[in-house]
CSV table of all heavy atoms in Angstrom, one decimal:
chain,number,residue,atom,x,y,z
Z,946,ALA,N,-65.5,-12.4,6.5
Z,946,ALA,CA,-66.3,-11.3,6.2
Z,946,ALA,C,-67.7,-11.8,5.8
Z,946,ALA,O,-67.9,-13.0,5.6
Z,946,ALA,CB,-65.8,-10.4,5.1
Z,947,LEU,N,-68.7,-10.9,5.7
Z,947,LEU,CA,-70.0,-11.2,5.3
Z,947,LEU,C,-70.1,-10.9,3.8
Z,947,LEU,O,-69.9,-9.7,3.4
Z,947,LEU,CB,-71.1,-10.4,6.1
Z,947,LEU,CG,-71.1,-10.7,7.6
Z,947,LEU,CD1,-72.1,-9.8,8.3
Z,947,LEU,CD2,-71.5,-12.2,7.8
Z,948,GLU,N,-70.4,-11.9,3.0
Z,948,GLU,CA,-70.3,-11.6,1.5
Z,948,GLU,C,-71.3,-10.5,1.1
Z,948,GLU,O,-71.0,-9.7,0.2
Z,948,GLU,CB,-70.7,-12.9,0.8
Z,948,GLU,CG,-70.5,-12.8,-0.7
Z,948,GLU,CD,-70.8,-14.1,-1.5
Z,948,GLU,OE1,-71.3,-15.0,-0.8
Z,948,GLU,OE2,-70.6,-14.2,-2.7
Z,949,HIS,N,-72.5,-10.5,1.7
Z,949,HIS,CA,-73.5,-9.5,1.2
Z,949,HIS,C,-73.1,-8.0,1.6
Z,949,HIS,O,-73.7,-7.1,1.2
Z,949,HIS,CB,-74.9,-9.8,1.8
Z,949,HIS,CG,-75.0,-9.7,3.3
Z,949,HIS,ND1,-74.5,-10.7,4.1
Z,949,HIS,CD2,-75.4,-8.7,4.1
Z,949,HIS,CE1,-74.7,-10.3,5.4
Z,949,HIS,NE2,-75.3,-9.1,5.4
Z,950,GLN,N,-72.1,-7.9,2.4
Z,950,GLN,CA,-71.7,-6.5,2.9
Z,950,GLN,C,-70.3,-6.1,2.3
Z,950,GLN,O,-69.7,-5.1,2.7
Z,950,GLN,CB,-71.6,-6.4,4.4
Z,950,GLN,CG,-72.9,-6.6,5.1
Z,950,GLN,CD,-72.9,-6.4,6.6
Z,950,GLN,OE1,-71.8,-6.4,7.1
Z,950,GLN,NE2,-74.0,-6.3,7.2
Z,951,LEU,N,-69.8,-6.9,1.3
Z,951,LEU,CA,-68.4,-6.6,0.8
Z,951,LEU,C,-68.2,-5.2,0.2
Z,951,LEU,O,-67.2,-4.7,0.3
Z,951,LEU,CB,-68.0,-7.7,-0.2
Z,951,LEU,CG,-67.8,-9.1,0.3
Z,951,LEU,CD1,-67.5,-10.0,-0.8
Z,951,LEU,CD2,-66.7,-9.1,1.4
Z,952,ASP,N,-69.3,-4.7,-0.4
Z,952,ASP,CA,-69.2,-3.4,-1.0
Z,952,ASP,C,-69.6,-2.2,0.0
Z,952,ASP,O,-69.6,-1.1,-0.4
Z,952,ASP,CB,-70.0,-3.3,-2.2
Z,952,ASP,CG,-69.4,-4.0,-3.4
Z,952,ASP,OD1,-68.2,-4.1,-3.5
Z,952,ASP,OD2,-70.2,-4.6,-4.2
Z,953,HIS,N,-69.9,-2.6,1.2
Z,953,HIS,CA,-70.5,-1.6,2.1
Z,953,HIS,C,-69.8,-1.5,3.5
Z,953,HIS,O,-70.1,-0.6,4.3
Z,953,HIS,CB,-72.0,-1.8,2.3
Z,953,HIS,CG,-72.7,-2.0,1.1
Z,953,HIS,ND1,-72.9,-1.0,0.2
Z,953,HIS,CD2,-73.3,-3.1,0.5
Z,953,HIS,CE1,-73.6,-1.4,-0.9
Z,953,HIS,NE2,-73.9,-2.7,-0.7
Z,954,ASP,N,-68.9,-2.5,3.8
Z,954,ASP,CA,-68.5,-2.6,5.2
Z,954,ASP,C,-67.0,-2.1,5.4
Z,954,ASP,O,-66.4,-2.3,6.4
Z,954,ASP,CB,-68.6,-4.0,5.7
Z,954,ASP,CG,-67.7,-5.0,5.0
Z,954,ASP,OD1,-67.1,-4.6,4.0
Z,954,ASP,OD2,-67.6,-6.1,5.4
Z,955,HIS,N,-66.5,-1.4,4.3
Z,955,HIS,CA,-65.1,-1.1,4.4
Z,955,HIS,C,-64.8,0.1,3.5
Z,955,HIS,O,-65.4,0.2,2.4
Z,955,HIS,CB,-64.2,-2.3,4.0
Z,955,HIS,CG,-62.8,-2.3,4.6
Z,955,HIS,ND1,-61.8,-1.4,4.1
Z,955,HIS,CD2,-62.3,-3.0,5.6
Z,955,HIS,CE1,-60.7,-1.7,4.8
Z,955,HIS,NE2,-61.0,-2.6,5.7
Z,956,GLU,N,-63.9,1.0,3.9
Z,956,GLU,CA,-63.6,2.2,3.1
Z,956,GLU,C,-62.6,1.8,1.9
Z,956,GLU,O,-62.6,2.6,0.9
Z,956,GLU,CB,-63.0,3.3,3.9
Z,956,GLU,CG,-61.7,2.9,4.6
Z,956,GLU,CD,-61.1,3.9,5.5
Z,956,GLU,OE1,-61.8,4.9,5.9
Z,956,GLU,OE2,-59.9,3.9,5.9
Z,957,THR,N,-61.9,0.7,2.1
Z,957,THR,CA,-61.0,0.3,1.0
Z,957,THR,C,-61.8,-0.4,-0.1
Z,957,THR,O,-62.6,-1.4,0.2
Z,957,THR,CB,-59.9,-0.6,1.5
Z,957,THR,OG1,-59.2,0.1,2.5
Z,957,THR,CG2,-59.0,-1.0,0.4
Z,958,PRO,N,-61.7,-0.1,-1.4
Z,958,PRO,CA,-62.5,-0.7,-2.4
Z,958,PRO,C,-62.1,-2.2,-2.6
Z,958,PRO,O,-61.0,-2.6,-2.4
Z,958,PRO,CB,-62.1,0.1,-3.7
Z,958,PRO,CG,-60.8,0.7,-3.4
Z,958,PRO,CD,-60.8,1.0,-1.9
Z,959,LEU,N,-63.1,-3.0,-2.9
Z,959,LEU,CA,-63.0,-4.4,-3.3
Z,959,LEU,C,-63.0,-4.5,-4.8
Z,959,LEU,O,-64.1,-4.4,-5.4
Z,959,LEU,CB,-64.0,-5.2,-2.6
Z,959,LEU,CG,-63.8,-6.7,-2.6
Z,959,LEU,CD1,-64.2,-7.4,-1.3
Z,959,LEU,CD2,-64.4,-7.4,-3.8
Z,960,ASN,N,-61.8,-4.7,-5.4
Z,960,ASN,CA,-61.7,-4.6,-6.8
Z,960,ASN,C,-61.7,-5.9,-7.6
Z,960,ASN,O,-61.7,-5.9,-8.8
Z,960,ASN,CB,-60.5,-3.7,-7.2
Z,960,ASN,CG,-60.6,-2.3,-6.7
Z,960,ASN,OD1,-61.6,-1.7,-6.6
Z,960,ASN,ND2,-59.4,-1.8,-6.2
Z,961,ALA,N,-61.5,-7.0,-6.9
Z,961,ALA,CA,-61.2,-8.2,-7.6
Z,961,ALA,C,-61.7,-9.4,-6.8
Z,961,ALA,O,-62.1,-9.3,-5.7
Z,961,ALA,CB,-59.7,-8.4,-7.9
Z,962,SER,N,-61.7,-10.6,-7.5
Z,962,SER,CA,-62.0,-11.9,-6.9
Z,962,SER,C,-61.0,-13.0,-7.3
Z,962,SER,O,-60.6,-13.0,-8.4
Z,962,SER,CB,-63.4,-12.3,-7.3
Z,962,SER,OG,-64.4,-11.4,-6.9
Side-chain angles (χ1 to χ4, degrees):
L947 298 175
E948 186 180 8
H949 66 279
Q950 293 182 349
L951 289 178
D952 286 326
H953 310 291
D954 66 351
H955 205 284
E956 61 183 15
T957 303
L959 192 145
N960 296 326
S962 297

